[in-house]
Amino acid sequence: YAISEYSGKLVNNVLDDGLNWTFAALKSEGALTDFVVDLYSKRLPFIANLYSPHLDFAMKLENMTGYMQFERVALPRNPNNDVQDTCYLEGQCTFPLSPLLKIGNPKMQKEFPEMFAFLLDFQMTTNDVNDIIAYHQESSEMYLNLTEHELWINATCKWLKQTEETTDEWHQDINRYDCIFDQDNNENNHCGFNYYYKSFQDAQNDENVLNIEWYNSIAGKCSNDSDQALCNCSNEYFIGDTCRSSCPGIIGPIEDKDHFE
């Protein structure tokens, strides 16, 4: 209603100079769309108050390969881009433009850098949005049992499957590393020790080895879900990429009463 009301002001204050025309406010957006389609298909001149994104910009008429095309009417600028500007209150300038913003948590730059990069790279063209709206209209005619939410999901999914030029720019490789022991017991791919001995004698004779899971590893702890493969040595006597290197001739680890040594 507000758009139609203001359009009436524009007709009287800006667009009425030397033009013989009638401003008609229809009952609904659907009625306006049908009227625009009829006038467009008959190649008749008209001025319509449309906003984007909207189905009007995502419709293909019969024997047309592309969407309907419109020329924007140039109106005096709104100096403050505000509905409270004097020129707007008097119905003598264009509608204020509403910017579309991307908002993200700045902590993502450190905690989830790939998501932060995605946020910066994410962008869609007007045609991308029009395509989704067109698919939504197509789905609403084909799937009468779907909810409005499901229709938009279906339309977006179809667009994603058929669009590469836009979405390729969004793609981010996400690599995370977990500390998982190799089944072949390759010590170069371990972090700490995944076994221990119950006694010094067992360690000396290399017998009665007790295996443990990687998340209970001794001497080294892996930074799970890390963007780098890290093995942190939990004891100053163990060093190296796998936290297995120590003094020459060392054996173990051996279980003591309260801890491993």
Side-chain angles (χ1 to χ4, degrees):
Y1 173 79
I3 294 177
S4 297
E5 182 182 34
Y6 189 71
S7 297
K9 292 183 179 180
L10 288 174
V11 168
N12 296 327
N13 299 332
V14 180
L15 302 176
D16 200 30
D17 187 16
L19 295 177
N20 182 16
W21 68 332
T22 300
F23 172 72
L26 304 181
K27 294 182 179 181
S28 65
E29 290 187 18
L32 176 59
T33 296
D34 292 339
F35 191 42
V36 167
V37 169
D38 182 59
L39 294 173
Y40 195 100
S41 61
K42 295 176 180 177
R43 298 181 178 275
L44 296 175
F46 65 91
I47 297 178
N49 194 344
L50 310 176
Y51 63 89
S52 180
H54 195 276
L55 179 61
D56 295 329
F57 296 92
M59 295 189 66
K60 295 180 181 179
L61 304 186
E62 189 176 353
N63 299 323
M64 287 180 54
T65 58
Y67 300 130
M68 293 190 296
Q69 300 295 315
F70 304 96
E71 290 291 337
R72 185 171 182 174
V73 176
L75 297 172
R77 66 182 292 269
N78 188 320
N80 293 316
N81 196 39
D82 192 338
V83 294
Q84 299 301 321
D85 193 281
T86 302
C87 76
Y88 187 85
L89 295 175
E90 295 177 354
Q92 296 181 346
C93 62
T94 190
F95 294 91
L97 300 178
S98 300
L100 185 61
L101 304 177
K102 294 187 291 187
I103 300 176
N105 190 330
K107 292 182 179 180
M108 288 194 303
Q109 188 170 9
K110 180 179 180 181
E111 298 178 1
F112 202 158
E114 297 91 348
M115 182 60 73
F116 187 79
F118 169 81
L119 178 66
L120 297 180
D121 292 341
F122 178 84
Q123 59 181 352
M124 297 177 66
T125 67
T126 301
N127 282 337
D128 291 331
V129 177
N130 289 339
D131 287 342
I132 295 177
I133 295 175
Y135 293 148
H136 173 272
Q137 179 65 18
E138 178 185 278
S139 298
S140 64
E141 297 172 356
M142 294 176 57
Y143 309 109
L144 302 179
N145 59 329
L146 296 183
T147 65
E148 192 65 24
H149 176 73
E150 291 170 334
L151 289 173
W152 283 116
I153 292 295
N154 183 76
T156 305
C157 183
K158 181 176 181 179
W159 177 80
L160 286 171
K161 290 179 178 180
Q162 297 186 4
T163 304
E164 294 183 357
E165 183 177 350
T166 297
T167 55
D168 281 350
E169 299 296 325
W170 305 350
H171 182 81
Q172 307 292 329
D173 288 323
I174 300 178
N175 296 313
R176 292 294 183 270
Y177 299 89
D178 284 333
C179 195
I180 301 176
F181 289 127
D182 280 355
Q183 297 297 324
D184 60 2
N185 203 32
N186 185 343
E187 65 178 17
N188 293 323
N189 295 328
H190 287 178
C191 181
F193 297 89
N194 63 326
Y195 63 88
Y196 67 94
Y197 301 94
K198 294 288 290 184
S199 67
F200 176 81
Q201 183 177 358
D202 287 342
Q204 191 175 36
N205 297 327
D206 191 20
E207 57 185 17
N208 299 323
V209 178
L210 300 176
N211 295 316
I212 56 178
E213 298 292 342
W214 65 268
Y215 45 79
N216 287 325
S217 62
I218 303 168
K221 296 296 181 182
C222 187
S223 297
N224 301 322
D225 197 30
S226 170
D227 57 359
Q228 298 182 36
L230 299 178
C231 184
N232 297 317
C233 303
S234 54
N235 191 301
E236 62 181 348
Y237 298 107
F238 292 93
I239 60 175
D241 294 338
T242 62
C243 296
R244 287 189 170 206
S245 300
S246 187
C247 303
I250 191 170
I251 61 174
I254 303 169
E255 184 182 31
D256 195 2
K257 291 182 180 180
D258 303 315
H259 61 278
F260 294 98
E261 61 181 21

